[in-house]
Amino acid sequence: MAFWLKHNLLQYKNDPFVSIECTFILFDQVKGTTSIYRQSQTIPRQEYLDLLGKQFKNWDEIQFTFPNGSFFKIGSSCLQGQIIEGQNSEDQKKIQWDFNLELSGETYYHLTQKGLYTSFFPKKKLLTKDIHVEFKGSIKTSNAFSLEVVPSSSFIGMNGHNWGKEHAYKYAYANCNQFQEDPHAYFDGFSAKIFLIKGLLKSPYLSGASLKTNGTWFHFNALSRSFFHEVIQLSEKKWEVIFKAPPYTLHLLIDGNTALWTELSYHHPDRKISIVKNTKFAQAKLVLKRDRELISSLNSRYFELETLTGG
């Protein structure tokens, strides 16, 4: 069992309104199903700015209530919320969550220079606010006929954050903090193609990643070397790449062909929509070398892999 909890703010270009959205996706490996719960609300930009001034000072302390009683609350050490779908009691379904968070306190920055997080390029920014989070609490789902409590009361995950003016038009992104050989290891990385010169040109693959193993970080995310990495394949459910930062190489092979997947629509500020695929159960192998010397070999069945390949 796994879950994916997303909190989104979206404003289209030249639009006076802002959309606030909460999505909860439950992955049930036993049943072989994914269940998507989603609630959104569009409010005037000025109302959003008023909220911003009152409470949206950062993503550690936010709460919002939707007109139908759905809500989410993000605290520095807790997550709470519920999403109610359906107008009538006969077709209504609901999910509720209540977690206390145990945080590692360690943040991973995909962009090596802090100035890149405020500059015009790249147009999409991303960071991992906390690389290892334990979610302790409960998930309850219900409909008109039944109430179900998710059996697991503890989940291991991370807290990712991204923002900007556009999505890459093609990419693979992955992270993992559950490895068989090293329970404290962490991987985070991507390969992406972006539009250049207002969409007239498309870039080659730009890649970056980092691996923490045996207490040491190995970084392959220098922006100046982002196009030197070797993307061997990138498809909807598979990604293979060799990251290079001489004298080190990191060979990653992720295979999600037998994993449980879900799809989401990602909205761009220019109103374009991309269909993104995501799993929490891809299998992967990482091989870290210094020249030809093997430094580390790691395996996991719990890689998150997200892909957009329709571009």
Side-chain angles (χ1 to χ4, degrees):
M1 185 76 73
F3 72 87
W4 185 16
L5 177 57
K6 291 174 61 65
H7 306 90
N8 289 342
L9 295 175
L10 174 66
Q11 183 177 17
Y12 294 118
K13 293 179 180 178
N14 304 316
D15 193 321
F17 293 91
V18 174
S19 176
I20 299 176
E21 178 182 297
C22 182
T23 304
F24 196 109
I25 303 175
L26 200 58
F27 297 77
D28 190 330
Q29 282 186 298
V30 175
K31 296 179 180 179
T33 60
T34 57
S35 302
I36 301 176
Y37 302 81
R38 179 180 175 273
Q39 188 67 51
S40 64
Q41 174 73 13
T42 300
I43 61 175
R45 176 175 170 78
Q46 187 55 52
E47 184 177 338
Y48 161 71
L49 292 174
D50 292 341
L51 282 172
L52 190 69
K54 292 178 181 178
Q55 56 164 307
F56 282 35
K57 296 179 181 179
N58 58 60
W59 281 95
D60 291 333
E61 298 290 343
I62 298 175
Q63 60 183 15
F64 185 80
T65 301
F66 299 92
N68 71 343
S70 299
F71 76 93
F72 65 82
K73 179 180 179 181
I74 304 173
S76 57
S77 60
C78 69
L79 287 174
Q80 296 175 332
Q82 71 172 5
I83 296 175
I84 304 168
E85 292 186 341
Q87 300 297 321
N88 304 313
S89 58
E90 292 81 8
D91 63 3
Q92 191 174 91
K93 67 174 185 176
K94 179 193 299 185
I95 189 165
Q96 298 170 293
W97 60 94
D98 187 353
F99 291 115
N100 291 318
L101 310 180
E102 291 189 5
L103 309 173
S104 71
E106 188 167 6
T107 299
Y108 171 64
Y109 293 91
H110 298 77
L111 305 177
T112 55
Q113 298 174 327
K114 290 188 176 181
L116 293 173
Y117 283 98
T118 56
S119 66
F120 74 95
F121 182 84
K123 291 185 178 181
K124 182 173 182 177
K125 324 292 186 183
L126 68 165
L127 61 83
T128 300
K129 181 67 180 296
D130 199 294
I131 67 171
H132 192 283
V133 181
E134 187 169 359
F135 302 79
K136 293 185 175 182
S138 63
I139 302 173
K140 298 178 182 178
T141 63
S142 62
N143 55 37
F145 308 102
S146 65
L147 169 66
E148 182 176 351
V149 179
V150 174
S152 178
S153 60
S154 180
F155 297 85
I156 301 298
M158 47 79 84
N159 176 9
H161 183 34
N162 60 77
W163 68 100
K165 295 183 177 180
E166 69 177 24
H167 294 289
Y169 84 90
K170 183 176 184 178
Y171 70 84
Y173 165 78
N175 70 78
C176 184
N177 56 12
Q178 299 183 67
F179 290 95
Q180 299 171 19
E181 299 83 0
D182 182 355
H184 303 293
Y186 181 72
F187 170 85
D188 209 315
F190 67 90
S191 291
K193 290 185 176 183
I194 62 174
F195 289 116
L196 302 171
I197 314 178
K198 297 183 178 181
L200 296 177
L201 297 176
K202 297 177 180 179
S203 75
Y205 279 116
L206 307 176
S207 302
S210 292
L211 172 66
K212 182 181 182 181
T213 183
N214 295 321
T216 300
W217 279 100
F218 297 87
H219 294 294
F220 303 83
N221 60 343
L223 183 62
S224 61
R225 294 191 58 84
S226 60
F227 51 89
F228 282 102
H229 309 294
E230 182 182 353
V231 178
I232 299 171
Q233 60 177 317
L234 193 162
S235 61
E236 285 188 347
K237 297 183 178 182
K238 202 168 186 178
W239 178 33
E240 184 176 8
V241 57
I242 300 176
F243 298 100
K244 302 175 181 180
Y248 294 99
T249 60
L250 179 63
H251 188 175
L252 167 68
L253 174 58
I254 306 179
D255 189 342
N257 279 317
T258 61
L260 186 62
W261 288 81
T262 192
E263 291 185 358
L264 281 184
S265 298
Y266 276 18
H267 292 250
H268 299 253
D270 62 1
R271 299 185 182 273
K272 292 180 181 178
I273 298 176
S274 297
I275 304 300
V276 174
K277 297 182 181 295
N278 185 286
T279 183
K280 312 301 180 185
F281 300 107
Q283 298 187 42
K285 183 179 183 66
L286 281 166
V287 177
L288 175 67
K289 291 183 177 181
R290 178 187 174 98
D291 294 324
R292 296 185 178 182
E293 177 190 0
L294 178 64
I295 303 297
S296 182
S297 179
L298 300 170
N299 295 271
S300 180
R301 296 181 292 112
Y302 301 106
F303 254 76
E304 176 183 12
L305 175 60
E306 180 172 301
T307 60
L308 171 59
T309 59

